[in-house]
Amino acid sequence: MQMSLALLNKRRFAPIFATQFLGAVNDNLFKFAMVILVVYNIYDDPDTETQFSALATGIFILPFFLFSAVSGQLADNNDKARIVRIVKTAEIVIALTGALGLILQSIPLMLLALFALGVQSTFFGPIKYAILPQQLEKDEVLGGTGLVEAGTYVAILLGTILGGVIINELGAEWASAIVVTIALIGWYAGRQVLPAPPQKDPEPVDYNILRATKRVIGDIMHVPRLRHTIICISFFWTIAAVLTILFPPLVKNVLTSDPIVASLFLGVFSVGIAVGSILINRLLKGQVSARFSPFSVILMGGFVLILYFVALSWEGSPDETLFNLGTFIMLDNAWLVLGVLFGVAVAGGMFVVPLYAFLTTTVDLSMTARAIAANNVVNSGCMVLGSVIALILSNFITVTELLLVVVAMCATSAWLAFILHRETKHPLPQAAQ
């Protein structure tokens, strides 16, 4: 751990870490501030609020599905540092657009900025992993990857909390100013990233989205265990997408609590995933294996089922006002809710982290960005599908009943993880790597 943390003082790692950290903070700060603004200040209907939360999640994820194949090619065939500088410059323009949307409370403008943030994240995503083998020594790559993962979860937590607190306590003007400021700092950090030229002779980039997507998926998913790994990861993020869609309307309309409590929910979820990541690494002792994944996702589904029953029996605010954070945590079942939510996230982290490790250690280094891109395409497609399903089902069932849908998804994910575990018990043939 000390060796890993020492990388934060190295010019070959610190700028890329800072750039991805600030980008993740800004994405989540803007997205959550927007959702809270709309759910608590613009709309006043539970069904509409759930639908908007689903729509916002789908719009942010859609670019990963559309453009990941192109972004993976660009990252493998160009200087990654140059792409970082272009992406972070674009983020300043996007932040200004989103800031204007927040101030004017313009839903179309906010959704446009959210889609654009998804686009710039799509082109940055493969780089933050693929650049590490070029910038770090061989024995530093695992530690650097762990720091990037941990930094992402901390950034999600920080952005989520800031988004809820700032929009609720200080207003849209302050939220707008902070989004633009973080974008400017991220632009400066991105300019410090060291050159990272392609590791092979550059190939022509196919900008045909459909053809490029088909090719990058075909290049990676022809190996059955890689295919099943990506499918398992995608199922997890579909479940996570549905849960994050449910949190704001669940907190407001079922738990009758204010935006700070909604921020707390997403914060606890992020911390729980990080804890699960550490716990599974200790259990596996550094071995890349999916043997705990089926149990982990079954445990995750069990915690979601408990959350359903707690929400079903929840007694709302007696005077129709929303509980603030101080009042909420004094309620009899509040700590049970937070504990169950933490359990959901810990089990989720235990499930997904070994799968990422298997994916990134199986493919050749020259294909790392495209492997991540293929994973992002399938992940995002499933997450958009999950958002659409949540959007449709919200017309027929309550937000509490949607938790039962998540339980069913966990059961399916456990079956897929068991199949993967059976396949990964034996070494991968060298020709297939």
Side-chain angles (χ1 to χ4, degrees):
M1 179 60 72
Q2 289 177 341
M3 290 177 62
S4 298
L5 292 175
L7 292 173
L8 295 174
N9 293 323
K10 306 294 184 181
R11 171 73 188 278
R12 50 201 169 88
F13 178 77
I16 193 68
F17 177 85
T19 302
Q20 70 86 26
F21 181 86
L22 291 167
V25 169
N26 225 19
D27 288 349
N28 287 277
L29 192 159
F30 175 77
K31 179 177 181 290
F32 200 64
M34 179 193 71
V35 170
I36 291 298
L37 178 66
V38 173
V39 169
Y40 282 86
N41 295 82
I42 297 179
Y43 290 149
D44 191 25
D45 174 70
D47 292 339
T48 306
E49 292 158 5
T50 303
Q51 290 166 7
F52 178 81
S53 185
L55 178 64
T57 299
I59 284 177
F60 181 74
I61 297 301
L62 183 60
F64 288 89
F65 179 73
L66 295 176
F67 307 121
S68 283
V70 174
S71 72
Q73 293 178 80
L74 288 171
D76 277 335
N77 288 285
N78 293 275
D79 187 333
K80 299 172 184 62
R82 179 172 178 268
I83 297 176
V84 169
R85 289 191 286 272
I86 294 172
V87 166
K88 300 312 288 185
T89 300
E91 185 179 345
I92 296 174
V93 179
I94 298 167
L96 290 169
T97 304
L100 184 61
L102 288 172
I103 293 171
L104 298 178
Q105 295 193 7
S106 168
I107 291 177
L109 205 55
M110 287 188 286
L111 291 178
L112 174 63
L114 186 66
F115 179 80
L117 281 175
V119 172
Q120 67 96 18
S121 295
T122 300
F123 283 89
F124 180 76
I127 293 173
K128 69 180 182 181
Y129 294 106
I131 200 173
L132 297 182
Q134 291 181 253
Q135 306 285 35
L136 305 180
E137 300 295 335
K138 188 174 182 180
D139 61 350
E140 295 175 329
V141 173
L142 182 59
T145 303
L147 284 176
V148 169
E149 284 292 309
T152 300
Y153 294 130
V154 173
I156 292 171
L157 169 62
L158 182 60
T160 299
I161 292 175
L162 285 176
V165 171
I166 293 169
I167 200 73
N168 187 60
E169 300 295 331
L170 301 176
E173 292 80 8
W174 272 96
S176 301
I178 291 172
V179 165
V180 174
T181 300
I182 293 175
L184 289 169
I185 299 172
W187 172 82
Y188 177 78
R191 292 185 64 82
Q192 311 310 309
V193 175
L194 295 175
Q199 295 184 293
K200 60 178 183 177
D201 292 336
E203 302 170 349
V205 175
D206 187 354
Y207 291 98
N208 184 304
I209 294 173
L210 294 177
R211 186 172 58 228
T213 301
K214 180 180 178 181
R215 180 179 299 168
V216 76
I217 291 176
D219 288 345
I220 301 302
M221 297 189 70
H222 70 282
V223 181
R225 61 183 63 189
L226 290 179
R227 179 170 63 249
H228 289 146
T229 301
I230 289 175
I231 291 172
C232 284
I233 293 172
S234 299
F235 240 93
F236 168 79
W237 287 114
T238 304
I239 293 168
V242 174
L243 285 174
T244 53
I245 287 168
L246 297 182
F247 287 159
L250 181 72
V251 169
K252 179 188 176 185
N253 301 308
V254 178
L255 305 182
T256 58
S257 300
D258 69 13
I260 307 301
V261 178
S263 297
L264 176 65
F265 264 52
L266 289 172
V268 168
F269 193 73
S270 300
V271 172
I273 291 178
V275 171
S277 305
I278 297 170
L279 178 59
I280 196 62
N281 284 328
R282 293 293 299 271
L283 290 174
L284 290 173
K285 298 179 180 179
Q287 180 186 8
V288 178
S289 170
R291 67 177 183 270
F292 288 113
S293 291
F295 166 76
S296 298
V297 75
I298 289 172
L299 185 64
M300 183 179 180
F303 278 119
V304 174
L305 188 61
I306 295 173
L307 183 61
Y308 164 77
F309 285 113
V310 173
L312 201 63
S313 62
W314 188 271
E315 294 183 5
S317 175
D319 56 1
E320 297 185 357
T321 60
L322 297 176
F323 296 126
N324 59 30
L325 179 60
T327 306
F328 175 80
I329 62 176
M330 297 299 294
L331 298 174
D332 291 339
N333 287 334
W335 288 101
L336 175 60
V337 170
L338 295 176
V340 169
L341 181 62
F342 185 74
V344 171
V346 169
M350 292 176 61
F351 170 71
V352 76
V353 167
L355 303 182
Y356 271 111
F358 181 80
L359 179 64
T360 56
T361 57
T362 300
V363 297
D364 186 86
L365 284 179
S366 65
M367 292 287 292
T368 302
R370 272 171 281 190
I372 297 167
N375 179 63
N376 286 347
V377 170
V378 181
N379 285 183
S380 55
C382 289
M383 291 173 75
V384 170
L385 179 62
S387 300
V388 171
I389 291 173
L391 185 64
I392 294 173
L393 290 179
S394 65
N395 292 304
F396 305 100
I397 60 178
T398 66
V399 66
T400 304
E401 291 168 339
L402 277 171
L403 291 171
L404 294 178
V405 177
V406 174
V407 174
M409 294 169 69
C410 288
T412 304
S413 192
W415 172 67
L416 292 170
F418 178 73
I419 293 175
L420 176 65
H421 173 54
R422 286 193 309 181
E423 292 180 344
T424 57
K425 285 193 294 186
H426 305 289
L428 187 67
Q430 188 69 27
Q433 294 188 34

